[in-house]
Each structure stands twice: as C-alpha cells, then as structure tokens.
C-alpha cells in the first residue's frame, strides 16, 4: 500500500493552513487600508466643512468692539454734535453752512445703511453695536428735526410725530421682547429712506419748485411714519396674544 509519510502530510496541511492565514492577512490588511483611505477622504471632504465651521465660530467669538461696523456707528455718533454746530452756524440760515450740515447728515445716513449690513455679513455683531446703532440713528434724525423746528423751517408737530413714533416703537419692542422680536418691515425701511430724503432736503436751503417738492416728500414721510407705527402696534398685540396663549398651553401640559 502506497502511503504518504506523516511528516509530509503534516507539512502539506501546515503549508495549506499557513497559506490560508497569509491570504487572510493580506485581505484583512487590504480592507483596513481601504477603510483608512476612506476615513482620510471623509475627513478631507466632510472635515473641511467642520474646520470651516470652527473657523467661522472662532471669528464670531473673536469679533472685536473695534470692528469696521462699530467704527461706522461711532462715526455717526460723533457727527451728531458736528451736524448741530454746522446747522446753527452763522445764525442757521447761511446756505454754505447748511450745505456742510447736509453733507454731515448724508454721511450719517449712508453709514447707517452699511454698518448693519457689514455686521451681519461678516459676523461682526457685538453687544455694543446692538445698543449704539439705534441710538446713533435716532440721535442724528432727532437732532436734524429739532434744529429745523427751532429755526422755523419745519412745524413742531411734524417733529413730535416722527420722534414720538420712533421712541414709542422702541419702547414697544422692549415691552414685548419676552414674547418675541418684531421684525423690521419693508414699510419701515421705506419710511426710514423717505424720512432721510425729506429731512435732507429741508436741511438744504432750497427755494422755488424744490422747496415745494420737499414739502410733499415730507408729507409722504409723515404718512409712512404713522402707518408703519400703527402696523408695529398691531404686530406687538398679535405677538403678545400668541405668547400668552403658548404659555397657557404649556402650563396646562405641565399640570396634565
């Protein structure tokens, strides 16, 4: 009977087992390398967004008070006393002084358009900006209206309506802020633009048809001031009612 030596058979089966283990090791190594490569690619693709998010978050956290948006707001605040001095210079009726006053007022209005946009676009929003920006807006507009009424160019009731509306809506926002924020409407933005144009035309020493035109522009501004003010009051009432209803519903669920 022909037989295979036990040592040879053992060696042959050992070789087969070794080969099987080697092949398994190669396959496992290839799988691990493939997984590692996929992980690296994933971190390179998805991780880039993660790193970008961290950088953006760091930019928000590192937003300094001395950023360009806040500097524009500070410039607007500084322009207020300068505008008043120019407006009342040489008796308040000198066309040259009024022209310089108009230039200061125009710069203030232009910076008002840009500082908020820059703050939101480049993550430069700060607590200082949230407080100083509305103060600067109302300071330059209030100074212009009061000067114009003091000089007899604009009726005091117009100044009272515009300033009363602005201060009243600001107070109203604070009163209902516990229920939510009243967003700025398109009508409100149009009101601000129309007020700026109208007041700017009154600051200039205009005569003839332009003086008549500024009267009608101011009339439109006053109408928009009243209409948008009433709309803000309506929004505040609705917001308060919704907030109270939601609180009551939450209390009922808690008790239940």
């Amino acid at each position: 009977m022909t037989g295979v030596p036990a040592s040879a058979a053992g060696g042959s089966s050992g070789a087969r087992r070794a080969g099987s283990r080697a092949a398994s090791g190669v396959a496992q190594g290839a799988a691990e390398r493939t997984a590692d490569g996929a992980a690296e690619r994933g971190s390179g693709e998805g991780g880039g967004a993660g790193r970008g998010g961290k950088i953006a978050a760091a930019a928000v956290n590192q937003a300094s008070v001395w950023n360009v948006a806040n500097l524009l707001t500070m410039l607007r605040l500084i322009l207020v006393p300068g505008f008043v001095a120019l407006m009342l210079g040489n008796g308040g009726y000198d066309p040259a002084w009024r022209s310089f006053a108009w230039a200061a007022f125009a710069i203030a209005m232009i910076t008002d358009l840009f500082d908020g946009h820059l703050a939101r676009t480049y993550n430069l929003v700060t607590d200082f900006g949230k407080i100083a920006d509305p103060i600067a807006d109302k300071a330059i507009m209030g100074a212009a209206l009061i000067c114009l009424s003091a000089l007899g160019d604009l009726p005091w009731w117009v100044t009272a309506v515009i300033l009363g509306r602005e201060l009243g809506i600001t107070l109203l926002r604070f009163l209902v802020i516990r229920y939510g924020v009243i967003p700025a409407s398109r009508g409100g933005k149009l009101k601000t633009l129309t007020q700026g144009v109208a007041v700017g035309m009154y600051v200039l020493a205009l005569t003839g048809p332009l003086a008549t035109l500024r009267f009608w522009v101011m009339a439109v501004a006053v109408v928009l001031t009243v209409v948008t003010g009433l709309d803000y009051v309506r929004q505040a009432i609705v917001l308060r009612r919704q907030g109270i209803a939601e609180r009551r519903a939450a209390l009922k669920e808690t008790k239940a």
Side-chain angles (χ1 to χ4, degrees):
M1 183 176 64
T2 305
V4 179
S7 59
S12 176
S13 62
R16 284 195 299 272
R17 286 194 298 271
S20 177
R21 285 195 298 269
S24 176
V26 171
Q28 183 178 357
E32 290 176 354
R33 287 192 296 272
T34 302
D36 291 342
E40 290 176 1
R41 288 193 297 272
S43 63
E45 296 169 359
R51 286 193 297 271
K54 291 179 181 178
I55 292 173
V60 173
N61 294 332
Q62 294 174 4
S64 170
V65 173
W66 301 99
N67 62 60
V68 63
N70 286 345
L71 289 175
L72 290 176
T73 301
M74 294 176 195
L75 173 62
R76 199 155 69 254
L77 287 169
I78 294 172
L79 283 173
V80 174
F83 165 80
V84 173
L86 292 170
M87 189 71 183
L88 302 179
N90 200 20
Y93 298 101
D94 189 318
W97 284 87
R98 295 283 285 261
S99 297
F100 288 125
W102 176 87
F105 181 80
I107 292 172
M109 291 294 99
I110 292 172
T111 58
D112 180 32
L113 296 175
F114 283 103
D115 59 358
H117 175 72
L118 289 173
R120 291 186 297 271
T121 302
Y122 298 101
N123 296 318
L124 300 176
V125 178
T126 62
D127 291 336
F128 171 81
K130 292 177 183 178
I131 297 172
D133 183 66
I135 292 175
D137 298 343
K138 291 170 178 56
I140 188 68
M141 182 60 70
L145 290 169
I146 292 172
C147 285
L148 288 170
S149 293
L151 292 171
D153 293 340
L154 191 67
W156 276 106
W157 70 265
V158 174
T159 297
V161 168
I162 294 177
L163 292 185
R165 184 267 190 199
E166 297 301 326
L167 296 175
I169 295 302
T170 300
L171 178 61
L172 187 63
R173 285 176 182 271
F174 280 111
L175 291 176
V176 300
I177 197 169
R178 69 179 67 179
Y179 305 110
V181 177
I182 303 176
S185 63
R186 292 184 179 179
K189 295 177 181 178
L190 179 61
K191 177 270 305 178
T192 301
L193 176 62
T194 308
Q195 281 183 0
V197 173
V199 171
M201 293 179 73
Y202 268 86
V203 170
L204 287 172
L206 299 178
T207 57
L210 289 177
T212 303
L213 177 62
R214 73 182 182 182
F215 168 82
W216 290 109
V217 175
M218 181 59 77
V220 173
V222 171
V223 171
L224 288 174
T225 298
V226 174
V227 171
T228 55
L230 293 175
D231 182 60
Y232 276 119
V233 172
R234 179 192 63 80
Q235 291 185 57
I237 294 173
V238 172
L239 188 63
R240 182 176 180 275
R241 287 177 179 174
Q242 291 176 347
I244 292 174
E246 290 174 359
R247 287 188 176 185
R248 288 177 178 175
L251 287 175
K252 288 181 179 179
E253 290 180 1
T254 302
K255 292 179 179 180

